[in-house]
Amino acid sequence: MTTENSLRWRRLGVCALLLGTAALYLWRITINGMANAFYAAATQSGSTNWKALLFGSLDPNNFITVDKPPLAQWVMGLSGRVFGFGSASMLVPEALMAVGTVALLYAAVARVGGPRAGMLAGAALALTPVAVLMFRYNNPDAAMVLLMTAAAYCTLRALEPARGARWLAMAGVALGLAFLAKMLEGLLIAPALAATYLIAAPVAVRTRLCHLAAAAAAMVASGGWFVLLTAWWPASSRPYLAGSTDNDFMNLVLGYNGMARILGRNHEVTVPELADVPDLGTQVRGWSRLLAGEFAYEIGWLVPASVVAVVVVVIARGRAPRTDRVRAATVLFGGWLLVDGLVLSYMHGTVHPYYSLSVAPAVAAMFAIGLQQTWVHRESRYQRALFVLMSLGTGVWSWWVLGRNAHWLPPLRWAVLAVAVLAAAAALGVPARRRVAAAAAATVAVAAALAGSGAYAFATAVTPHHGGAPSVGPARRGVLTAQRGRSVVDVDLDALLEATHTDWSAAVDRSTNAAVLELATHTAVMAIGGFSGLDPTPTLAQFQRDVSEHRIAYYVATSTGSQLGRNARSHNDIARWVAFNYAARRVGTDLVFDLTVPPRQP
């Protein structure tokens, strides 16, 4: 085949990969509706108020933010401003981020392993169930992973002569923006990027260190400007930074979204209706977490083969030059998988299985690089056996994972096992010199390895998902999708809040309760205590002042109650003050206090 024809087929293959990804991720995307109401309410607010968009406010009158940085809200909010707020305008940008992530991963892996390896990496990522779940959802994870993958791509480009400093600086910028998507989780890839450049860049050690310092400065600049903005902007004229204890952004970074996530502080499940949700319940903490429970369905399909691939490639390239690109890519993606995977596996705090999206590109890349490296050296029986080990092992593991949901398409798991075994036998038995037959056997073996993950990915795409703890795949017995707080709104309460003309139509405990009310009524609702209910805002004095100035129409005591824990004393004080001074009436399942009437006389 001529070079021109080869290039044409390569372009067609890439187009097919990206169009297929777009079709899968955009197909019936609005079945997820508002997805996570918490972020949907912030998107709605950002689509109507510029300050709310800038800070990621939950409500358009800027009482409190969501408990994450606002980068993802910027994308969805701007889309809402252009196209009008709705499910499609909010979720389509997330799906397009998937296409961008697949394209970047293809480009990164293809630079070291060739176009076929790049195609396999892109396809493996596109068919990862947690990727299908979260790139069709409105959580900030999609934007974070897109930027992490961009940083990986830029780092591999930085290993090329002449433009290393520029590309490494771009990697730093991408990491800083990933920080603005989901704080420290977006920076977990940084050690792998730094190690890769320090080991493999084709320049002197001193130059490498200088380039890394410049990239670190670029990262601080691209993420740090927002930190400075929140510090310099008067606190009295911006929303409270949810999740912080003192309205300081770095407190949120290092506390609630930092060490508290890892050590488990202040991340207890305090809401009764979430006690039975699998991913918020008891989890096995340790090295096997990514292979057990809900994690296995979301990310575990290719993890064993990817870990084997890291070991195999590092050993095989042990005597290669320092600047060897394949080993460098393995340090990058293997290091990413190691650091991020260990944090996910051993963290004590609330850990949703969908957090595993952060390692999905690394898993897909190592799966592809490992298979490509063993395939190109298939003349060696040892390398051919390793290829069979990874492909057949993945097929057998998929058979096992599918068996844990045995009532769903029972024939599928046996078909995966049968095809994987037959293809592995053919790949092992066909002589390497019979290139067409060997390639056909290898292709079938790889397809069987991806079949389980792919089937769950398609099932995820066609199943509606809602709330704060979505799960992949088809609906499963005993598995609930829960939204913290209220899930429905009474039509009478809707009408009551829609008729108000105050700054906030109502005040209610916790952001998720406020979010559902905002989405239903298109009014601003004050979220007392933020997402966890533990944020020290508003104080009783602040709440009393807002009531006296007629800025809040109603106080809603929801059916989920105000079980905010020991640290919510100030919010319980608000509830007691309201109950003592104002009469309540029941609207649906809620108690509603009218704050526009004069309080009771003592």
Side-chain angles (χ1 to χ4, degrees), residues 261-481:
R261 293 276 174 178
I262 297 174
L263 301 179
R265 298 170 182 168
N266 299 324
H267 281 277
E268 314 88 76
V269 177
T270 60
V271 185
E273 67 270 21
L274 293 181
D276 297 325
V277 178
D279 66 339
L280 288 179
T282 302
Q283 295 191 27
V284 178
R285 185 173 59 87
W287 65 269
S288 64
R289 176 180 271 176
L290 298 184
L291 304 176
E294 182 66 22
F295 278 94
Y297 293 119
E298 304 215 357
I299 191 64
W301 307 89
L302 305 181
V303 168
S306 299
V307 173
V308 171
V310 173
V311 177
V312 167
V313 177
V314 168
I315 293 175
R317 313 293 290 198
R319 296 184 179 181
R322 178 182 64 82
T323 56
D324 180 64
R325 301 284 179 79
V326 175
R327 185 174 57 201
T330 303
V331 171
L332 193 159
F333 291 112
W336 181 354
L337 174 57
L338 175 66
V339 174
D340 210 332
L342 286 176
V343 170
L344 287 172
S345 296
Y346 286 92
M347 63 189 294
H348 285 75
T350 298
V351 50
H352 295 277
Y354 68 72
Y355 291 174
S356 61
L357 178 66
S358 62
V359 297
V363 170
M366 283 315 309
F367 178 73
I369 292 172
L371 289 180
Q372 184 267 343
Q373 285 294 297
T374 53
W375 172 252
V376 296
H377 298 101
R378 62 189 179 279
E379 293 82 2
S380 164
R381 291 184 178 180
Y382 171 70
Q383 292 292 331
R384 200 185 315 169
L386 288 174
F387 177 90
V388 170
L389 171 66
M390 285 187 282
S391 58
L392 176 59
T394 302
V396 173
W397 175 243
S398 297
W399 168 80
W400 175 262
V401 174
L402 288 169
R404 295 176 56 241
N405 187 17
H407 74 281
W408 182 69
L409 296 180
L412 175 63
R413 63 189 296 253
W414 295 105
V416 168
L417 180 64
V419 174
V421 170
L422 293 175
L428 195 61
V430 174
R433 64 178 180 275
R434 298 180 59 184
R435 300 183 61 180
V436 175
T443 300
V444 175
V446 171
L450 293 176
S453 175
Y456 244 72
F458 281 104
T460 301
V462 300
T463 303
H465 298 91
H466 309 286
S471 300
V472 300
R476 301 195 298 281
R477 296 170 185 170
V479 177
L480 305 175
T481 298

Side-chain angles (χ1 to χ4, degrees), residues 201-270:
V203 291
V205 174
R206 179 178 296 180
T207 305
R208 279 176 259 163
L209 292 173
C210 290
H211 289 175
L212 284 170
M219 178 186 73
V220 171
S222 67
W225 70 268
F226 184 79
V227 180
L228 294 178
L229 177 70
T230 61
W232 291 341
W233 198 296
S236 59
S237 65
R238 64 162 171 79
Y240 186 91
L241 302 177
S244 67
T245 60
D246 57 1
N247 204 12
D248 180 84
F249 191 85
M250 291 308 298
N251 176 279
L252 178 61
V253 172
L254 300 176
Y256 178 86
N257 280 327
M259 297 308 296
R261 293 276 174 178
I262 297 174
L263 301 179
R265 298 170 182 168
N266 299 324
H267 281 277
E268 314 88 76
V269 177
T270 60

